[in-house]
């Protein structure tokens, strides 16, 4: 079979991106505090980005003869992004920190995908992974700056 490791990463990303979309939507709903309006609108942008990546990843998986996970149960079971109950008492910074964790989880999976696609000679999927990883790294930098932290650490 062709591109087996790449297919595994694509499927993992299908689950992770689906969970990420739900988590960002939850953050969008449960935000309260200073700069609410700006963050509320920003969550729409982030969710749209994740949804676009999800569609591209799942369609690429189908193109290379894979079968994407497609149920809520599969997403929750397979995802590296865990569900957490929505809470009204979270500060905006807590929501942003969760968002950074979500983006970092996706960046790590895209990194695995870049290696797998490169090893298996799938340049098209490798390009998809590289572009998506770059977009999410930018989001991490922006959120970390908002939190008063360096892009790649918590200090």
């Amino acid at each position: 079979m062709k591109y087996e490791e790449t297919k595994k990463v694509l499927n993992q990303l299908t689950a992770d991106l689906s969970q990420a979309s739900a988590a960002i939507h939850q953050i969008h709903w449960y935000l309260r505090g200073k700069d609410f309006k700006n963050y509320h609108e920003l969550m729409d942008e982030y969710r749209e980005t994740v949804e676009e990546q999800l569609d591209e990843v799942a369609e690429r998986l189908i193109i290379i003869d894979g079968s994407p996970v497609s149920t809520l149960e599969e997403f929750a079971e397979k995802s590296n992004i865990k569900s957490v109950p929505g809470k009204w008492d979270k500060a905006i910074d807590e929501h942003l920190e969760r968002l950074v964790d979500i983006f970092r989880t996706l960046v790590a999976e895209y990194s695995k995908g870049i290696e797998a696609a490169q090893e298996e000679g799938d340049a098209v999927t490798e390009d998809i992974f590289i572009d998506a990883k770059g977009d999410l790294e930018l989001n991490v930098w922006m959120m970390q700056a908002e939190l008063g932290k360096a892009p790649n650490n918590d200090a």
Side-chain angles (χ1 to χ4, degrees):
M1 300 293 285
K2 201 169 183 182
Y3 306 138
E4 290 307 310
E5 289 305 310
T6 301
K7 288 179 191 177
K8 287 178 188 173
V9 175
L10 285 163
N11 230 346
Q12 182 63 53
L13 279 163
T14 300
D16 289 341
L17 289 162
S18 296
Q19 283 288 94
S21 177
I24 294 167
H25 211 169
Q26 180 189 60
I27 291 168
H28 170 86
W29 289 331
Y30 279 86
L31 282 171
R32 286 190 173 172
K34 185 177 170 132
D35 292 327
F36 163 80
K37 185 176 184 317
N38 291 328
Y39 289 121
H40 189 76
E41 291 171 359
L42 184 60
M43 292 311 117
D44 284 335
E45 292 174 28
Y46 284 159
R47 189 162 169 253
E48 186 176 305
T49 296
V50 166
E51 291 280 334
E52 287 170 0
Q53 288 181 5
L54 171 59
D55 196 48
E56 188 170 27
V57 161
E59 288 175 356
R60 181 64 187 163
L61 179 57
I62 293 166
I63 289 166
I64 63 172
D65 202 29
S67 301
V69 294
S70 59
T71 66
L72 297 175
E73 294 81 11
E74 289 172 309
F75 302 151
E77 177 187 320
K78 296 180 184 303
S79 181
N80 293 314
I81 298 168
K82 299 304 171 200
S83 297
V84 298
K87 292 187 178 181
W88 292 112
D89 62 348
K90 282 188 179 180
I92 285 182
D93 283 2
E94 291 177 86
H95 289 296
L96 299 183
E97 288 169 359
R98 179 156 188 245
L99 193 58
V100 168
D101 289 342
I102 290 166
F103 288 152
R104 284 182 172 161
T105 298
L106 294 171
V107 165
E109 198 60 38
Y110 278 120
S111 293
K112 289 179 193 173
I114 291 166
E115 289 180 27
Q118 189 174 53
E119 287 177 17
E120 294 181 331
D122 183 357
V124 173
T125 304
E126 184 181 3
D127 284 347
I128 290 168
F129 290 157
I130 289 168
D131 288 344
K133 180 183 176 205
D135 290 343
L136 293 170
E137 287 174 334
L138 175 65
N139 293 346
V140 168
W141 169 53
M142 296 286 189
M143 287 296 96
Q144 285 290 88
E146 186 69 22
L147 293 164
K149 299 177 181 180
N152 294 314
N153 63 43
D154 296 327

